[in-house]
Amino acid sequence: MQPDDLETVETLARVITVAACASVSAGLVTYLVRMRHRNGGLVGTSALLCVFVLALAIGTIGQMLSESTGGGIFILVEMVTAVIAFVVGIAVWPMIPRLIGQPTRQEANEANALLMEGQEANRKLIAQLSDLNRDLESRVAWRTAELETVRHRFEVALEGSDISVLELDADLVFTWVHNPPEPLTEDDILGRQPAELLLPAEAAEFMNIGRRVLAGSKAERFEISLTLGGRQRWFEGFIEPLRTDGSVGGILAAAIDISRYKEHEREMRDILRELTHRSKNLLAVVQGIARQSVEGSPEAAAFLAPFGSRLLALSAAHELLVQNGWRGIPLDEVVTRAWADVEGTMAIRVEIDGPRVLLGPDVAQNVMLGAHELVAAAAAAEQPPERVLVSWALLPDGGFRLDWRMFGTSSIKVSGFGQRLLRTVLPVVLGGEVTTLGISDAGFAYGVRGRIGPQLHLIQRPA
């Protein structure tokens, strides 16, 4: 190949190189322009490459011009571009680790596949959470409907009834009420304290119960009289603590209006009191008839005194029954009243020992007559007893034991009526038998056994 041909080829190669550099630079500039508002990418590296390529292009152009013209300025340009290319070649090395860290197409595809799998798993998880959410919503709706049904039943049960339910906070201020007692309304009660609605003594009693429940964290029953709308009303119910996060934050009170039952009890007491009064009058009439009947009959005169005292004992039993609402008489009250109603017994020391036992009406009247016969015998004795011990006990086998002992006497004589009453009537009404009746070296003793039942049982102490 001739020298002219070689120069032509060399010139053509340089022109192609310059065109290639211009094309690469244009592509890099386009990349830089497109990436100017985006994070990441190879912006820094691309800028350096662009400078490097432009430097190569300018250097090549400068070399071509310097050879053709021989101008020194073009040699200087070529030198500057060489320096720039060298600086770029040095500056690109810190970027090599970052370039190495860039994922390859395969790695990017694998990462994309993992992302797709994760996205699919997330879609499944979202679907499961949606199913759980629907199930939860269904359960909440069912529970809400159930609570609404219970609330409706609660309201129906209390509507028109005499039961009021009230809630108070720790300061004893009413915060909620259902079915308020007449004539009060919900607006009258909410936001107020009992002292603003009740008389001072009534409010103090109610608030004392509330404070005890708040302090002791234990429910408490109550029966209280309140004046509402100018009328006295009776309520019974309970107050229990309301707990929030383990601590007592208020109380809930349920009160039943028992005014009509109290009125009925009062009417019954009046009726029984009137009945007792008429019974006493009737007994007095019977006693008067008996007294008039024995006039002029010395043999019958001895019958009148014990007959009259037995009528008085029966009248005393009726009086005690009325005082106790005809529910019965405690045994100790029967014994005490028997000794109190017979004259000539003040000097006798009487001891009573036994649990609180309630005698039913039928048993109480017969035990009162039996006790009267024993007391009358002690009062009429030539040698009255120095000491009397009346004791009783409830036995483990469900039995009952009553012992009446008079010490320091050997002259106790029980009348024929009393003997029959003590030997036959009392064991029958008590459901047992006589264990002893008579004089011993220590004195007089009477013992009887019975059975615990509706007509004889232990009086329960209030909780």
Side-chain angles (χ1 to χ4, degrees), residues 33-345:
V33 171
R34 296 284 182 88
M35 293 292 293
R36 69 182 184 276
H37 297 304
R38 297 170 62 184
N39 295 326
L42 302 174
V43 176
T45 304
S46 300
L48 287 177
L49 289 176
C50 183
V51 172
F52 180 77
V53 171
L54 287 175
L56 288 178
I58 294 172
T60 302
I61 295 172
Q63 186 178 7
M64 291 171 58
L65 293 175
S66 64
E67 290 180 355
S68 62
T69 61
I73 187 66
F74 296 107
I75 295 174
L76 182 61
V77 171
E78 185 179 358
M79 182 61 186
V80 171
T81 56
V83 172
I84 292 173
F86 179 77
V87 172
V88 171
I90 297 299
V92 79
W93 279 101
M95 299 181 179
I96 296 300
R98 184 180 176 187
L99 292 173
I100 296 173
Q102 293 294 318
T104 65
R105 178 179 296 275
Q106 182 179 355
E107 291 173 343
N109 290 335
E110 292 175 355
N112 186 57
L114 290 175
L115 289 175
M116 294 296 292
E117 291 178 3
Q119 187 176 9
E120 182 64 24
N122 288 337
R123 280 197 293 267
K124 291 181 179 179
L125 180 59
I126 291 173
Q128 292 176 355
L129 291 176
S130 299
D131 292 340
L132 290 175
N133 184 59
R134 284 191 295 271
D135 181 64
L136 180 59
E137 289 179 349
S138 175
R139 293 190 180 193
V140 169
W142 181 77
R143 290 291 186 185
T144 302
E146 186 179 28
L147 288 175
E148 181 64 22
T149 301
V150 172
R151 184 189 66 83
H152 179 69
R153 291 173 180 171
F154 171 77
E155 292 179 351
V156 170
L158 294 186
E159 191 68 31
S161 71
D162 296 327
I163 303 175
S164 301
V165 184
L166 308 100
E167 183 178 327
L168 297 86
D169 61 16
D171 297 323
L172 296 181
V173 175
F174 291 102
T175 58
W176 177 79
V177 61
H178 185 77
N179 198 29
E182 295 180 356
L184 299 178
T185 64
E186 185 174 337
D187 293 335
D188 296 332
I189 297 175
L190 293 182
R192 298 186 179 183
Q193 288 188 319
E196 302 176 64
L197 302 171
L198 307 174
L199 296 178
E202 298 171 349
E205 184 178 0
F206 182 83
M207 295 178 73
N208 286 337
I209 300 174
R211 292 190 183 100
R212 287 199 301 269
V213 173
L214 286 171
S217 300
K218 293 183 178 179
E220 185 172 330
R221 301 195 67 84
F222 67 86
E223 182 176 309
I224 190 171
S225 172
L226 304 177
T227 303
L228 300 176
R231 290 178 51 208
Q232 184 185 32
R233 308 271 290 279
W234 282 91
F235 296 88
E236 72 172 3
F238 65 90
I239 297 178
E240 65 178 24
L242 289 176
R243 291 178 173 83
T244 304
D245 297 331
S247 61
V248 178
I251 57 175
L252 183 69
I256 305 174
D257 189 343
I258 58 171
S259 302
R260 56 182 176 181
Y261 302 107
K262 285 289 185 179
E263 181 66 19
H264 178 68
E265 286 183 2
R266 187 191 64 78
E267 293 176 356
M268 289 302 299
R269 284 195 299 271
D270 292 342
I271 293 173
L272 290 174
R273 198 176 296 115
E274 178 66 19
L275 178 61
T276 301
H277 176 70
R278 296 191 180 190
S279 298
K280 287 183 176 180
N281 290 341
L282 181 60
L283 292 175
V285 170
V286 172
Q287 194 171 19
I289 293 174
R291 189 181 299 111
Q292 295 295 326
S293 299
V294 300
E295 284 186 1
S297 177
E299 296 81 3
F303 159 80
L304 184 61
F307 177 73
S309 64
R310 288 164 187 152
L311 290 179
L312 291 177
L314 190 60
S315 175
H318 283 191
E319 182 179 345
L320 292 176
L321 284 171
V322 171
Q323 291 177 3
N324 289 278
W326 210 259
R327 291 184 295 271
I329 310 173
L331 179 54
D332 58 314
E333 293 185 14
V334 172
V335 175
T336 302
R337 183 63 179 267
W339 282 100
D341 286 349
V342 177
E343 297 180 358
T345 60

